[in-house]
Every structure is written in C-alpha cells, then in structure tokens.
Amino acid sequence: MLEQVKPPRPRIIAVVNQKGGVGKTTTAINLAAALAVGGKKVLLIDVDPQGNASTGLGIDRAIRQGGSYALLAGDGALAALTLPCGVENLSIVPAVEDLIGADLEFSQTERREFLLRDALAGDCAVDTVFIDCPPGMGLLTLNALVAADAVLVPLQAEFFALEGISQLMRTIDRVKRGLNPKLAVEGIVLTMTDKRNNLSEQVSNDVRGHFGAVVFDTVIPRNVRITEAPSHGLPVLLYDFRSVGAQAYLALAAEFLRRSRMRKGAAV
C-alpha cells in the first residue's frame, strides 16, 4: 500500500492594522480573490466581529453557522465551518455576532492566545490562509498573530500613517519574541492612494523611505468600483474586472507570488 502524502501546510497571513478604515478588509477580500482567480486555493478566515469580509463575499448571515467563533471555541472542525463563495478556489470561515464578546469570554480560557493556531493545526488543503482581523489589538487579533506565519499590513496614505505603523511593528515584535518566533512581516500595502494629492504622495514616499523593500511596489488607488463591490457581495474582480481597482489587486497578487517564490528560493 502506498503511503499517503500529506498536502503541504498552507502559509497563513494575518491582515492587520489597528486603525479602521484603511482598506484592510478590502485588501483581504480582493487579494484572496485575485490569487484564487489565478488558480491558487485560498481560505479567508473572518475574525472581525463586524463581519465585513463575510458580507463582502456574499455570505448571508443566515448560513454562517458557528463561523470563526466556533473555530476559536473548539466547537467545530475547520472543514465543517468553511463555506464556498462566488469565487472558484476561494472559501471562507465567516464571522458571526458571537465574536463581539470573544475578548471577554475567552479571557480566562487556558492558552487563550493559541486558540486559532490550535484550530488550524490539522490538515488544510489550500495554498494560503488569510485572516482578516478586527481593528485594534485585542485577543482576536493576538490569536491571528500567534497563528500566522506573516503579517500583511494595509496602510492608508494619510498623515498619521507612520505613527500607527510604528506602533504596530512594535506589537508584532513583541508577539514574535514572546509567543510566535516564526512571525514575519509579509509587507506593507499602500491603499487609497491618490497621485493627484500631494499629501498622499508625501506619505507614500515617507513610508518607503522608512521601511524600504518591506513596502510592496504595487499600490491600491482610490477607486469607486472597489467601494461599490462589497454592496453586491463580490470582490472587485468579479464586479468590474476592467476597473483600475481590480487591475491593482491583480498586480498585487502577482507581486505577492513573486515575493513568495523569492522567499522560498532564499530558504533553499
């Protein structure tokens, strides 16, 4: 009898920014969708109590079952809590309202920082897992950082960007030193950029000057199609493939894959 070969472990990426309104969920949805359209098998786990990633992929609240809350609580297996969406190769563990009290409810749980990592320890037949985190640095975000291999930081090109990102990098470093030694920074993605705006250009230049190659070359512009797509339960690629927003996320996915290949090559 031939020995069954286990599928390779997926790479787990936490999409994090403690500030809201920076394009975090939009980036999680559309980067995941762009990779899936390109043939990669992708899982998106929504641990934001607002559930915007779930809504943005057209997952009706009536069918979300226990979602990521049940995953954290150990009340269901990953496969049973995963739902398909309208994009081939893309699936989601949706958010449910019970997540609202998760920080308080799980605060006394043993190994509370490792709930998500333990839940993802089994077989998962996908190439990449994205975890869409809530704004802020509560227990849900901490669980994502402990479970992840790397952190992707969407960063709006605005005045307070550098201050917020410096705080986040310090938090990532503390998690790496104390709870997850393998945690790395996948990169910073500049979002909501506007080349007609001098401040946007200045902030972009400052971020690149400070963080260098950590910042993705691809930038995500302000685009009405990106903002309209979630109301239709679709990633922008399916809502308007020709829009500049859709093309930007396709370019980001291509750069994400190039960086992944370079990282693997450097590790050999």
Side-chain angles (χ1 to χ4, degrees):
M1 181 181 295
L2 293 175
E3 184 179 351
Q4 189 172 3
V5 178
K6 281 189 175 184
R9 179 182 176 276
R11 195 147 190 271
I12 301 173
I13 310 293
V15 185
V16 179
N17 193 316
Q18 72 269 39
K19 188 177 183 301
V22 300
K24 174 185 58 61
T25 295
T26 298
T27 295
I29 290 172
N30 288 295
L31 177 55
L35 291 170
V37 166
K40 299 294 183 181
K41 292 189 178 298
V42 183
L43 172 64
L44 177 59
I45 301 177
D46 187 356
V47 297
D48 186 344
Q50 297 176 85
N52 290 337
S54 306
T55 301
L57 284 175
I59 307 300
D60 191 279
R61 292 185 182 275
I63 65 167
R64 294 186 190 181
Q65 306 165 34
S68 56
Y69 173 84
L71 189 66
L72 288 159
D75 291 338
L78 178 62
L81 298 168
T82 299
L83 300 176
C85 60
V87 183
E88 188 176 0
N89 296 321
L90 177 60
S91 54
I92 185 170
V93 177
V96 294
E97 290 183 358
D98 289 341
L99 283 172
I100 293 171
D103 274 22
L104 180 61
E105 183 174 346
F106 294 133
S107 63
Q108 301 302 314
T109 302
E110 187 177 357
R111 289 174 54 83
R112 60 185 177 273
E113 301 94 345
F114 297 89
L115 298 175
L116 186 55
R117 190 177 83 174
D118 292 347
L120 297 177
D123 292 343
C124 182
V126 299
D127 299 303
T128 308
V129 176
F130 289 102
I131 306 171
D132 185 41
C133 300
M137 281 296 157
L139 186 58
L140 293 171
T141 300
L142 180 58
N143 261 266
L145 293 174
V146 172
D149 299 299
V151 183
L152 183 70
V153 184
L155 182 67
Q156 185 179 358
E158 63 167 20
F159 182 71
F160 293 112
L162 274 176
E163 180 181 359
I165 198 69
S166 298
Q167 293 171 352
L168 177 56
M169 291 301 181
R170 288 194 293 270
T171 299
I172 292 169
D173 187 58
R174 286 196 296 270
V175 172
K176 182 172 182 175
R177 285 186 280 111
L179 295 167
N180 183 6
K182 72 175 186 293
L183 187 63
V185 177
E186 185 72 14
I188 297 169
V189 180
L190 291 166
T191 63
M192 304 182 189
T193 60
D194 186 348
K195 291 184 177 179
R196 300 168 300 178
N197 184 320
N198 289 336
L199 178 60
S200 179
E201 280 290 284
Q202 180 184 337
V203 170
S204 297
N205 292 335
D206 287 347
V207 172
R208 292 189 187 280
H210 190 77
F211 292 102
V214 172
V215 185
F216 278 79
D217 294 331
T218 306
V219 300
I220 307 301
R222 286 191 179 275
N223 177 241
V224 67
R225 295 305 194 196
I226 292 176
T227 59
E228 289 174 349
S231 66
H232 297 269
L234 294 170
V236 70
L237 286 171
L238 296 190
Y239 180 64
D240 186 350
F241 182 82
R242 293 184 177 86
S243 67
V244 295
Q247 295 304 307
Y249 276 110
L250 284 172
L252 180 63
E255 185 176 356
F256 178 89
L257 291 173
R258 286 197 303 271
R259 287 180 172 227
S260 297
R261 287 192 293 268
M262 290 172 61
R263 185 181 56 253
K264 287 180 181 178
V268 173

